[in-house]
Amino acid sequence: MMDDTDRAIINALQGGFPISETPFVEAGRALGLSEDALISRIAALRQSGVLSRFGPLYNADRFGGHNTLVAMAVPEDRFDQVAAAVNAFPEVAHNYQRDHHFNMWFVLAADSRARVERVLTEVQAVTGLPVHDMPKLTEFHIGLKFEA
């Protein structure tokens, strides 16, 4: 169960994280927490599944890489199993369940289009399900944040 401090951490850190030699000290100070307390709470939030990941999001295109949006139609009784298999790929981020025939949507970012294609082939092999690749043509920044 989250408390008010956990909510404050989630709300504050969605908007950025200090880039410095001691980022957890700085972020903790802004939240009234010690470095160790902040690290422990983030670890506990990850372990409990409240947070699925904690880390930077990179714009792969600006590093010479490639992004794509992927949709899959996953049988409901296999959804959790397929989600775990898909999420095991380090290139996968933002995996969401939708109320639609294509009920799994995720973003894949890799260092090249060739790597994206290899990961998509591997996802199909591991899951036995087709993937629908929708490469990014235009980027829109919407500043999505979820208030905890």
Side-chain angles (χ1 to χ4, degrees):
M1 212 53 164
M2 287 195 317
D3 63 14
D4 290 342
T5 301
D6 291 334
R7 285 181 184 77
I9 290 168
I10 291 169
N11 293 336
L13 299 185
Q14 286 184 71
F17 196 73
I19 298 175
S20 72
E21 290 184 20
T22 57
F24 288 94
V25 170
E26 291 181 35
R29 187 178 304 126
L31 292 160
L33 298 170
S34 70
E35 176 183 36
D36 289 341
L38 178 58
I39 291 169
S40 293
R41 281 184 173 262
I42 291 170
L45 288 166
R46 289 204 59 221
Q47 185 175 16
S48 70
V50 170
L51 296 180
S52 59
R53 69 179 297 277
F54 178 81
L57 294 175
Y58 297 103
N59 185 336
D61 296 0
R62 294 201 181 144
F63 289 105
H66 188 81
N67 293 318
T68 195
L69 177 64
V70 183
M72 296 177 69
V74 180
E76 288 299 323
D77 63 334
R78 292 188 54 212
F79 194 90
D80 290 341
Q81 170 203 8
V82 171
V86 168
N87 291 343
F89 289 90
E91 296 86 355
V92 171
H94 310 303
N95 191 348
Y96 296 104
Q97 185 172 11
R98 298 287 186 229
D99 185 21
H100 186 270
H101 171 73
F102 294 108
N103 57 347
M104 182 179 289
W105 293 78
F106 58 91
V107 173
L108 197 150
D111 60 359
S112 67
R113 178 65 196 170
R115 178 63 187 154
V116 165
E117 290 171 4
R118 282 193 302 275
V119 171
L120 292 174
T121 298
E122 291 174 32
V123 168
Q124 283 190 159
V126 167
T127 65
L129 299 169
V131 297
H132 301 276
D133 179 17
M134 296 171 275
K136 179 175 79 170
L137 302 176
T138 304
E139 182 170 337
F140 299 93
H141 182 75
I142 58 172
L144 180 64
K145 292 172 76 173
F146 296 99
E147 191 76 17

